[in-house]
Amino acid sequence: MSDKTYDPVSMETKWCDLWRDPDLYKARGDGSRPPYYVLEMFPYPSGKLHMGHVRNYSIGDALARYLWMKGHDVLHPIGWDAFGLPAENAAIKNKMHPRDWTLSNVAFMKQQLIRLGFSYDWAREVTTCLPDYYRWNQWFFLKMLERGIAYRKNAQVNWCPDCATVLANEQVEEGRCWRCSAAVEPKELEQWFFRITAYADELLEETYKSLENGWPERVLTMQRNWIGRSEGAEVDFTHEATGSKIRVFTTRIDTIYGATCVILAPQHPLTASLVSGGAAVEVNAMIAEHRRKDPGDVEKKGVFTGHYAVNPYNQEKVPIWVGNFVLMGYGTGAIMAVPAHDERDFAFCKQYGIEIRPVIRPADGALADAATIKEAFVDYGVCENTGQWSGLPSVEARRSMAEYAENHNFGIAAITFRIKDWGVSRQRYWGTPIPVIHCPACGVVPVPYDQLPVELPYEVEFSGKGRSPLEQVSSFVNVSCPTCNAPARRETDTMDTFVDSSWYFYRYCDPKNEHAPLDPAKAAPWFPINQYIGGVTHAIMHLIYSRFWTKVMRDIGLVSNNEPVTNLFTQGMVQLGGKAMSKSRGNVVDPDEMIAKYGADTCRMFTLFAAPPEKDMEWNESGVQGQHRFLSRVYRFVCRNTEKARHVGGEPTEADRKALRKLHQTLTKVSADFDSRWHFNTSIAALNELQNTLEEHEANLSGQAAAQILETLCLMLHPFAPFLSQELWSVELGREGQLIRQQWPQADPELAREEGAEIPIQVNGKLRSRITVPFGTPKDQLEQLARADEKVKAHVDGKQVIKVVIVPDKLINIVVKG
RNA sequence: GGGGGAGUGGUGGAAUGGCAGACACAGCAGACUCAAAAUCUGCCGGACGCACAGUCCGUGAGGGUUCAAGUCCCUCCUCCCCCA
């Protein structure tokens, strides 16, 4: 008997030191074993890890360790998403340089990750704020410039007055900044864009093809909505007075005979020439309102211009209006209103007393009456009063009418996308400098490749507000033009940090390469990534940009895969007070305290046990005790039984059979959880059950059963509690080597099998008794046994048996009447 | 408004048409202890009941399908996420 107590902190710190061995978690990529790339979203180095990180990385690490043990060559890297606003905000607040702040956070968090025992191949660590990483952002930028993917345009952007920076559309949440929640204002600036729209079709297509099975359906749906492809037609109405064309975009050209007005965006080029007097004042107010508010928030308003347009299909005159809900950035900036068949148009025309004219009837109904119509009929149906298309199903009319427009040169079949090009310019210091020079004579001149990286200067003033700090650094700004040598200005905008995270997982394959972002041969074995694990919060932005970047890299010839990630797992958020943990919200729970008190193993086990991984989880520490108790019981159990396990031989006992049965059942369950849905909470519950059973039979175990149990227990526990399992393996069992290098045990179905089936007997669906029978007992025998059972008789006697349902080895249900 | 989730004991959760509440937390009672911690044992959805005798009720609400529904279908309520 041993009276050792479980002391996680000392054993864990010991193994942390031993696990610094750079070979231990080294991915080889040499074809010696089947490769498997397990990737978790790299953290932003905000200061300390929080429980969301612990959860994400505990899931990934359990999987990585399991895959190692299943014989894979596992690539399991980590790095730092190290550029971004918080560093600059910290610089202003704490008078600390963003670089120093970031790198000290990285150092601290790295030590936390090591302390948690995650199996990362640290030789591949990537830190995006270092020049040896971001020079390749610049290299990609130049490649995209050459290919016409990167371009410049004057554009209205979302300006956050508090962060003093431009936000991407995706970074605006309900008109407010995603980080600081300040109201966003529009602003005109010359910006750099990536032409992600050039890949819109392919990005959409793949969501129905290669991603269909490996990505969560809801992420695919979100991406499809974001891309927002709609198939429609553009048709020219004619301004009656001048004959100039007004092109409208519509997805329902089959309803055009029901168009009763044309509505222009306030910013439409024709608008200004059509309005005067009071109408002009109203239009200007609309434009001003667009600047101030999110278009979704404004109350719908319209104003009649006094002009008319001619419908190209029936030559009918319809009034031209201006509407504040018509967006210049979508379609053509002008729409035709068909109130009878579009809800928004219906509301608008009702409001202003514009005619409503039904032209589509339901397939099994009559055409609505214009005088009494209560709501728009928006489905497809049958055309009525639509010239040559009358009587045609509107789905067919839609195609035919678009063709007619093309043949008669007043329109085209058109596809529009909701997704816009990716604005990457940021008026910020702490990001990748955009590698171009503005020369008064030559214009925009790319920095030559051999002059990369354009390094961020270290000596910078942080005033806190206003323009980019880089503009104040004359040694950075004032350069000579690479083409003509005349004095020129360096671009002072930096890149969106989503650039960094769009390809970091490629750099892991070849992190030290000084000649290219990566060597294609080194990336090839690992892509596409077998499994990516991260928060659903990145379902749109990060994952679409990464997919886009992959396609660009493929077109440049760096990789051959079309998509970066085969399987995506989105783990639920860890929340506190109903909100995601984040430093800016100040609701972060730091794992250090828990690790100091209970150890990293308990911390990992608990985060996995508390909820299934894909579910959101409200942080609540009560329950940690349970997993600590469990590990402590495992420790003491193994210590107590190692001596016995050394004396193999002796007769197998009844206790052996029961303990081994539970052992192999548990192994079956845990393996199945890894291979299918990752419900590690139930795997850990099964391990708890196993421990309960083992202690129950402990006294009567034979030496050889004990030996098998102790060994299998260590192996099975390893993905969840690497430290304890390794300690027991090496110190108590005296075994050689690292558990991660051992083979995952194989469950024996014979040993796992129950002796007999315990069959519940129901009467009218209510449980009345149970019997235990050998497996495979035939139906008629089961029925006999059931009817003979005393408890069953009490509910059946004197009644008429209508039916007996028997599912062999499973259940008996006797249906009675009376 | 549209799309997608979710709703089960005091709590986290389990159960993918077949015994609702596995496993754990908290709680209660007991053992050990001078005492506490740790550990161990027992109880732990509700009602009736002397009861680990039995019966009835019970998975947001109501209906349906089925021998059998937390699970499938319809209607409704509440909450969360995404998009307008």
Side-chain angles (χ1 to χ4, degrees):
Chain A
M1 275 282 183
S2 161
D3 57 355
K4 286 184 183 178
T5 55
Y6 176 44
D7 176 10
V9 173
S10 69
M11 77 170 69
E12 289 179 0
T13 47
K14 176 186 77 183
W15 285 109
C16 279
D17 283 343
L18 292 166
W19 288 345
R20 281 175 195 275
D21 172 4
D23 280 337
L24 184 58
Y25 304 128
K26 188 174 174 182
R28 307 162 75 131
D30 58 4
S32 57
R33 300 159 144 223
Y36 200 107
Y37 190 167
V38 182
L39 179 69
E40 298 124 41
M41 289 181 182
F42 68 165
Y44 178 77
S46 57
K48 293 176 167 188
L49 292 183
H50 57 67
M51 284 301 165
H53 295 123
V54 175
R55 190 179 193 198
N56 189 175
Y57 303 151
S58 295
I59 295 165
D61 197 55
L63 182 69
R65 286 180 184 273
Y66 175 74
L67 291 163
W68 272 100
M69 295 172 82
K70 291 288 272 188
H72 286 279
D73 180 12
V74 179
L75 173 56
H76 188 213
I78 194 77
W80 308 96
D81 190 10
F83 271 137
L85 292 185
E88 258 175 277
N89 295 338
I92 294 156
K93 206 171 147 197
N94 310 327
K95 301 259 177 275
M96 196 171 175
H97 194 277
R99 186 173 196 272
D100 302 337
W101 182 84
T102 303
L103 294 181
S104 79
N105 288 347
V106 164
F108 186 86
M109 290 167 75
K110 179 172 180 175
Q111 152 264 312
Q112 286 186 300
L113 291 177
I114 290 170
R115 178 65 187 81
L116 279 157
F118 296 131
S119 60
Y120 296 125
D121 186 350
W122 284 105
R124 297 170 183 272
E125 180 180 5
V126 157
T127 306
T128 60
C129 69
L130 299 179
D132 65 358
Y133 183 81
Y134 70 69
R135 69 175 295 180
W136 301 110
N137 286 344
Q138 295 170 340
W139 184 91
F140 277 119
F141 185 96
L142 296 178
K143 288 286 175 192
M144 292 199 206
L145 198 58
E146 287 168 13
R147 304 176 75 86
I149 296 290
Y151 69 98
R152 224 156 107 86
K153 72 175 175 188
N154 213 4
Q156 184 174 297
V157 294
N158 306 302
W159 179 257
C160 171
D162 282 12
C163 300
T165 193
V166 174
L167 302 171
N169 289 332
E170 305 91 305
Q171 295 169 330
V172 180
E173 293 168 350
E174 289 169 3
R176 296 184 171 274
C177 173
W178 71 322
R179 284 195 200 273
C180 74
S181 295
V184 171
E185 297 167 359
K187 186 170 178 167
E188 287 276 322
L189 279 176
E190 194 149 32
Q191 301 285 313
W192 284 99
F193 285 83
F194 288 157
R195 208 180 297 277
I196 193 170
T197 52
Y199 292 90
D201 257 321
E202 194 191 342
L203 288 167
L204 183 67
E205 278 292 294
E206 291 290 346
T207 68
Y208 293 102
K209 291 182 186 165
S210 63
L211 304 184
E212 182 73 49
N213 294 316
W215 284 41
E217 193 55 38
R218 70 175 177 140
V219 172
L220 295 178
T221 305
M222 281 159 72
Q223 294 212 350
R224 285 168 194 151
N225 290 341
W226 188 256
I227 294 165
R229 183 181 197 269
S230 63
E231 220 167 290
E234 289 180 7
V235 181
D236 294 328
F237 279 65
T238 311
H239 181 210
E240 189 202 18
T242 63
S244 58
K245 305 289 185 202
I246 302 170
R247 176 153 285 208
V248 303
F249 173 78
T250 174
T251 56
R252 290 295 303 274
I253 195 168
D254 53 305
T255 66
I256 196 165
Y257 280 80
T260 51
C261 70
V262 165
I263 311 176
L264 307 179
Q267 297 87 348
H268 191 280
L270 264 182
T271 302
S273 66
L274 298 184
V275 293
S276 57
V281 173
E282 282 194 53
V283 167
N284 285 334
M286 287 176 187
I287 292 170
E289 191 177 38
H290 270 192
R291 291 228 178 90
R292 275 200 324 276
K293 288 190 189 167
D294 182 32
D297 283 351
V298 302
E299 189 196 342
K300 280 180 184 158
K301 268 187 283 192
V303 57
F304 179 44
T305 59
H307 291 255
Y308 291 84
V310 177
N311 184 330
Y313 284 85
N314 58 7
Q315 311 310 317
E316 187 186 9
K317 265 172 54 175
V318 296
I320 302 173
W321 285 64
V322 177
N324 64 347
F325 55 93
V326 180
L327 302 177
M328 200 54 222
Y330 181 79
T332 58
I335 62 165
M336 61 176 196
V338 185
H341 303 292
D342 181 282
E343 284 173 20
R344 287 159 305 176
D345 295 349
F346 185 86
F348 181 82
C349 292
K350 271 278 182 200
Q351 187 180 349
Y352 290 103
I354 298 165
E355 188 195 346
I356 297 171
R357 185 191 306 161
V359 291
I360 311 279
R361 64 168 175 83
D364 56 355
L367 197 63
D369 179 358
T372 59
I373 187 166
K374 286 283 188 300
E375 58 178 2
F377 174 70
V378 299
D379 295 337
Y380 289 101
V382 178
C383 295
E384 291 288 343
N385 307 324
T386 52
Q388 66 185 90
W389 292 278
S390 290
L392 214 60
S394 58
V395 178
E396 282 173 39
R398 180 167 164 237
R399 196 169 309 121
S400 159
M401 290 169 81
E403 266 170 39
Y404 181 87
E406 276 196 50
N407 294 341
H408 292 75
N409 292 319
F410 64 78
I412 52 164
I415 293 162
T416 58
F417 289 92
R418 208 185 72 92
I419 191 171
K420 296 192 186 79
D421 280 337
W422 174 12
V424 294
S425 296
R426 295 292 180 274
Q427 290 63 47
R428 276 283 163 175
Y429 166 72
W430 196 231
T432 305
I434 291 174
V436 297
I437 287 163
H438 299 279
C439 171
C442 312
V444 173
V445 182
V447 172
Y449 284 97
D450 61 11
Q451 288 175 29
L452 298 185
V454 176
E455 282 202 46
L456 276 177
Y458 185 83
E459 296 298 333
V460 179
E461 285 285 320
F462 292 97
S463 57
K465 296 288 169 194
R467 305 186 310 183
S468 166
L470 280 178
E471 296 202 327
Q472 322 298 323
V473 185
S474 57
S475 60
F476 180 81
V477 175
N478 299 316
V479 291
S480 49
C481 170
T483 309
C484 71
N485 226 22
R489 275 180 66 82
R490 194 186 287 286
E491 169 80 51
T492 56
D493 282 356
T494 53
M495 297 183 204
D496 182 5
T497 56
F498 277 106
V499 169
D500 310 320
S501 55
S502 290
W503 69 282
Y504 72 102
F505 40 83
Y506 286 104
R507 186 66 178 173
Y508 286 145
C509 296
D510 194 6
K512 304 281 191 300
N513 195 325
E514 291 178 10
H515 309 290
L518 56 87
D519 172 353
K522 287 191 176 169
W526 302 113
F527 281 89
I529 295 163
N530 300 83
Q531 186 67 60
Y532 196 15
I533 306 167
V536 73
T537 34
H538 296 107
I540 300 176
M541 290 181 269
H542 163 57
L543 288 169
I544 283 207
Y545 295 149
S546 296
R547 295 180 57 213
F548 159 70
W549 208 278
T550 290
K551 291 171 196 307
V552 173
M553 285 173 74
R554 174 200 61 195
D555 292 351
I556 294 173
L558 282 172
V559 297
S560 54
N561 48 298
N562 290 321
E563 288 288 336
V565 173
T566 305
N567 296 296
L568 174 69
F569 185 90
T570 49
Q571 111 256 0
M573 283 184 299
V574 179
Q575 306 178 325
L576 195 65
K579 299 272 178 213
M581 281 189 190
S582 79
K583 207 179 180 193
S584 61
R585 286 202 187 84
N587 63 344
V588 176
V589 175
D590 176 359
D592 278 359
E593 206 177 303
M594 188 184 281
I595 293 171
K597 198 166 165 193
Y598 298 106
D601 279 338
T602 296
C603 188
R604 294 170 56 140
M605 293 272 293
F606 175 66
T607 56
L608 294 177
F609 180 69
E614 75 282 359
K615 224 188 117 177
D616 285 349
M617 169 176 136
E618 176 67 23
W619 182 250
N620 182 348
E621 238 176 84
S622 76
V624 180
Q625 274 289 352
Q627 291 318 302
H628 186 68
R629 244 173 237 156
F630 165 71
L631 292 176
S632 164
R633 281 166 63 197
V634 170
Y635 180 75
R636 292 193 313 260
F637 175 82
V638 173
C639 291
R640 278 197 305 269
N641 288 282
T642 43
E643 191 52 37
K644 179 189 270 183
R646 270 191 268 279
H647 301 96
V648 295
E651 288 296 301
T653 65
E654 181 63 19
D656 285 359
R657 263 193 298 281
K658 288 182 173 159
L660 288 174
R661 182 185 304 144
K662 192 68 177 178
L663 183 78
H664 283 267
Q665 288 174 343
T666 307
L667 182 53
T668 307
K669 165 74 181 150
V670 172
S671 307
D673 277 334
F674 272 112
D675 294 335
S676 59
R677 48 176 203 165
W678 297 4
H679 276 201
F680 300 132
N681 55 328
T682 61
S683 310
I684 292 170
L687 289 163
N688 275 257
E689 280 187 67
L690 171 63
Q691 187 58 32
N692 292 340
T693 304
L694 293 179
E695 285 172 20
E696 193 185 322
H697 299 294
E698 183 176 356
N700 301 312
L701 289 178
S702 73
Q704 53 200 0
Q708 189 190 148
I709 287 164
L710 299 190
E711 172 177 324
T712 309
L713 189 57
C714 285
L715 291 165
M716 258 196 304
L717 203 54
H718 189 67
F720 310 110
F723 293 106
L724 173 64
S725 52
Q726 185 67 52
E727 173 80 6
L728 292 172
W729 180 263
S730 301
V731 177
E732 300 304 325
L733 302 186
R735 304 284 296 260
E736 289 294 313
Q738 294 295 327
L739 276 172
I740 200 169
R741 293 270 188 275
Q742 307 303 313
Q743 199 171 56
W744 184 257
Q746 188 84 49
D748 181 338
E750 278 306 308
L751 290 174
R753 227 173 67 176
E754 290 288 349
E755 271 166 5
E758 194 189 42
I759 301 185
I761 306 172
Q762 301 177 338
V763 178
N764 284 348
K766 284 185 181 153
L767 178 72
R768 294 304 179 188
S769 186
R770 298 165 215 271
I771 50 172
T772 303
V773 298
F775 282 105
T777 303
K779 282 189 176 190
D780 51 347
Q781 209 172 328
L782 286 173
E783 181 169 348
Q784 250 177 17
L785 287 166
R787 283 176 181 258
D789 186 279
E790 285 303 321
K791 290 176 188 162
V792 174
K793 272 183 169 168
H795 290 92
V796 172
D797 282 354
K799 291 171 183 167
Q800 184 192 353
V801 175
I802 295 169
K803 189 174 183 179
V804 180
V805 178
I806 298 173
V807 186
D809 298 343
K810 272 284 202 185
L811 172 133
I812 299 167
N813 188 11
I814 302 172
V815 186
V816 298
K817 193 173 81 176

